[in-house]
Amino acid sequence: MCSLGLILLLAFQTYDVTPSYAPGVMDPPMLATQNPVCSNEFFRKFITEHHRYPDAIKWNANYTDFSPLLCHVRSQNIKQCMKRKNIQKIAVYGASNVNRYGLQLAETLKRIGFVCNQTKRENRQPIHRIDLDYFAAGNKTLRSLMVAGSDYFCTGCSSYQITCKSKDSDDVNIEFISTENVNTTKLVLKNSTVAPTYEHFIFDVYLKKSFPDLNIFFLPMNHIKRQPIERFVREFPVTLLPLVKKVKPPTSDFFFIPGTSEFEECRTGGAEKYKYYLWHGLLASDAIRKLNAQLFSILETDIINGEVSSFLDLAEVTSSLIHMCADGSHFHDKWYFIFWKVFLNVYCHED
Ligand SMILES: *[C@@H]1O[C@H](CO)[C@@H](O)[C@H](O)[C@H]1NC(C)=O
Ligand SMILES: *[C@@H]1O[C@H](CO)[C@@H](O)[C@H](O)[C@H]1NC(C)=O
Ligand SMILES: *[C@@H]1O[C@H](CO)[C@@H](O)[C@H](O)[C@H]1NC(C)=O
Ligand SMILES: *[C@@H]1O[C@H](CO)[C@@H](O)[C@H](O)[C@H]1NC(C)=O
Ligand SMILES: *[C@@H]1O[C@H](CO)[C@@H](O)[C@H](O)[C@H]1NC(C)=O
């Protein structure tokens, strides 16, 4: 019965199924024992063979957990994993959704015994303009060379740092670095050939002295969809991607994460004007799915070679989460927390 169910699910490409097993059962025993454990290495091998992620997933009945159908997510000791992998600095990149991912990453660390405090935050005045002092980090020479360029669209996306301490571990520093696209001029350096773009500044100057051990770049597809998809396809492979590959030390891990779904029915307040809005002919979620697919084809070779990593198509993973929808493009905190649970359990599994 179970394997027939699985075949039917795959045949109909039915993602996001609520399973018919007992409510809340995450790993139906038959699937769990037959399937390998989800790990980055499992994903990498799967992509090498199938040229796609094992994107068909299932949520448990109370929507507190999800897992690919073709592997199962095993709970890991995240604290030991951080020690083993020597992770002291984690950077998350993206826009207002990543503001929330960063806060829920700190919540995740609190659950495993860390005490976390925000230590620094961009003070944007006006709210759409980057805070140069934040990124100068006290270096007056550097500050004198800085110029603010294009404004942000996003509010609620000021960068911040959170320090997490625990008695029996090294500190873990989290930084959210606000990034709205892949090749921008939010901040540039005068007369510089080093930093012709904000992204160059971030990776070549700002992070140069101490590159984060774990980097998770959530492509802000909700912003990127404002421009034609072709522009992302043209820019990403010749701007951000080669830059990251150039600056990333071999000991650091770098993930490019696909965008999440949006919900037209749920757009309220300031977002209401975008209800059923067409972005270059496509509804928001359709545009994001196309962008995610393009992201995967651009990254495929680098993922197979282990240069960078990615993750499941989050537009698929989140497409059934209308009950967690906050305003059409953001979710309740719960989603961001669940993301980290699954992401870290996959990241930390080693065969
Ligand atoms: C959801 O199900 C899981 C797994 O059975 C259980 O551990 C958890 O307490 C449930 N959560 C809620 C909010 O009901
Ligand atoms: C966090 O900040 C609070 C308030 O500023 C302070 O009382 C506390 O000692 C800090 N905790 C740590 C672990 O730094
Ligand atoms: C300050 O910034 C300048 C320009 O980027 C750099 O050359 C210098 O090394 C920095 N100084 C310190 C103390 O980091
Ligand atoms: C930048 O270049 C211009 C023109 O070459 C020069 O006038 C200016 O002093 C330079 N600025 C800095 C900060 O080096
Ligand atoms: C990236 O941005 C810089 C600065 O605006 C621009 O000069 C360059 O042409 C852009 N690159 C691409 C591929 O669009």
Side-chain angles (χ1 to χ4, degrees):
M1 270 308 278
C2 206
S3 58
L4 176 64
L6 179 60
I7 289 161
L8 287 175
L9 291 172
L10 293 173
F12 291 111
Q13 293 279 300
T14 312
Y15 303 111
D16 318 306
V17 285
T18 304
S20 53
Y21 337 108
V25 175
M26 184 54 192
D27 284 316
M30 280 181 70
L31 283 180
T33 50
Q34 285 164 10
N35 281 345
V37 179
C38 302
S39 64
N40 288 318
E41 189 51 22
F42 171 79
F43 284 168
R44 207 178 63 76
K45 283 188 182 143
F46 189 90
I47 291 163
T48 309
E49 283 167 32
H50 303 278
H51 306 287
R52 61 180 174 85
Y53 266 89
D55 278 320
I57 65 114
K58 62 182 186 292
W59 279 93
N60 68 352
N62 62 12
Y63 286 94
T64 53
D65 217 339
F66 69 88
S67 169
L69 291 173
L70 296 176
C71 59
H72 72 280
V73 180
R74 184 180 287 167
S75 284
Q76 307 289 331
N77 185 323
I78 304 301
K79 204 168 196 177
Q80 273 175 18
C81 164
M82 300 276 199
K83 278 190 194 170
R84 187 177 72 235
K85 291 178 178 278
N86 198 18
I87 293 174
Q88 292 170 29
K89 190 171 173 188
I90 305 176
V92 292
Y93 311 83
S96 50
N97 269 306
V98 183
N99 181 10
R100 299 167 187 228
Y101 280 114
L103 295 175
Q104 291 305 310
L105 176 58
E107 288 303 314
T108 303
L109 294 184
K110 286 184 196 170
R111 298 271 181 110
I112 57 172
F114 285 88
V115 177
C116 300
N117 267 4
Q118 187 167 296
T119 49
K120 198 178 162 186
R121 186 183 166 81
E122 250 190 283
N123 180 20
R124 290 188 183 171
Q125 285 168 339
I127 190 69
H128 294 279
R129 183 79 40 83
I130 197 161
D131 174 2
L132 299 180
D133 293 327
Y134 177 96
F135 287 99
N139 182 332
K140 292 201 172 70
T141 317
L142 183 59
R143 177 65 181 81
S144 70
L145 297 172
M146 289 176 160
V147 188
S150 62
D151 282 349
Y152 283 93
F153 280 106
C154 55
T155 54
C157 66
S158 300
S159 302
Y160 60 71
Q161 291 171 23
I162 294 174
T163 298
C164 296
K165 292 175 184 292
S166 140
K167 284 196 183 72
D168 54 354
S169 291
D170 289 330
D171 291 0
V172 177
N173 291 294
I174 299 171
E175 183 160 14
F176 160 48
I177 299 178
S178 188
T179 325
E180 228 176 18
N181 210 316
V182 298
N183 186 55
T184 68
T185 58
K186 309 291 180 201
L187 184 168
V188 289
L189 296 185
K190 276 183 218 160
N191 294 358
S192 169
T193 49
V194 178
T197 65
Y198 170 60
E199 290 71 26
H200 270 275
F201 168 78
I202 291 298
F203 290 111
D204 274 332
V205 180
Y206 183 65
L207 294 177
K208 191 152 198 171
K209 281 208 183 114
S210 123
F211 201 85
D213 308 300
L214 173 58
N215 300 266
I216 306 109
F217 197 118
F218 295 84
L219 270 303
M221 297 309 192
N222 58 322
H223 290 282
I224 294 175
K225 74 174 192 290
R226 290 173 174 274
Q227 64 197 32
I229 290 167
E230 298 72 41
R231 182 160 159 201
F232 174 75
V233 173
R234 193 171 67 239
E235 286 185 353
F236 178 65
V238 298
T239 56
L240 185 60
L241 179 57
L243 175 62
V244 161
K245 283 161 63 181
K246 188 191 79 176
V247 297
K248 186 188 91 62
T251 49
S252 293
D253 290 323
F254 206 107
F255 288 80
F256 284 110
I257 307 290
T260 44
S261 279
E262 299 198 9
F263 299 91
E264 301 303 335
E265 310 85 318
C266 173
R267 297 195 198 280
T268 52
E272 196 152 3
K273 62 178 179 288
Y274 294 123
K275 215 172 201 171
Y276 298 104
Y277 189 89
L278 295 182
W279 304 91
H280 304 278
L282 296 172
L283 283 171
S285 283
D286 295 335
I288 290 168
R289 278 166 188 267
K290 286 209 163 180
L291 284 162
N292 288 351
Q294 293 293 345
L295 173 69
F296 177 78
S297 32
I298 295 165
L299 293 178
E300 182 177 348
T301 313
D302 290 326
I303 297 171
I304 291 172
N305 295 335
E307 289 215 55
V308 298
S309 306
S310 185
F311 201 65
L312 304 167
D313 184 343
L314 296 188
E316 297 286 1
V317 173
T318 58
S319 65
S320 57
L321 299 189
I322 183 138
H323 59 290
M324 288 188 211
C325 173
D327 57 13
S329 56
H330 304 97
F331 297 86
H332 300 157
D333 288 346
K334 201 173 157 187
W335 154 251
Y336 305 96
F337 185 80
I338 297 168
F339 168 82
W340 288 116
K341 175 162 74 170
V342 176
F343 176 86
L344 290 171
N345 281 335
V346 172
Y347 176 67
C348 287
H349 180 77
E350 275 167 17
D351 294 304

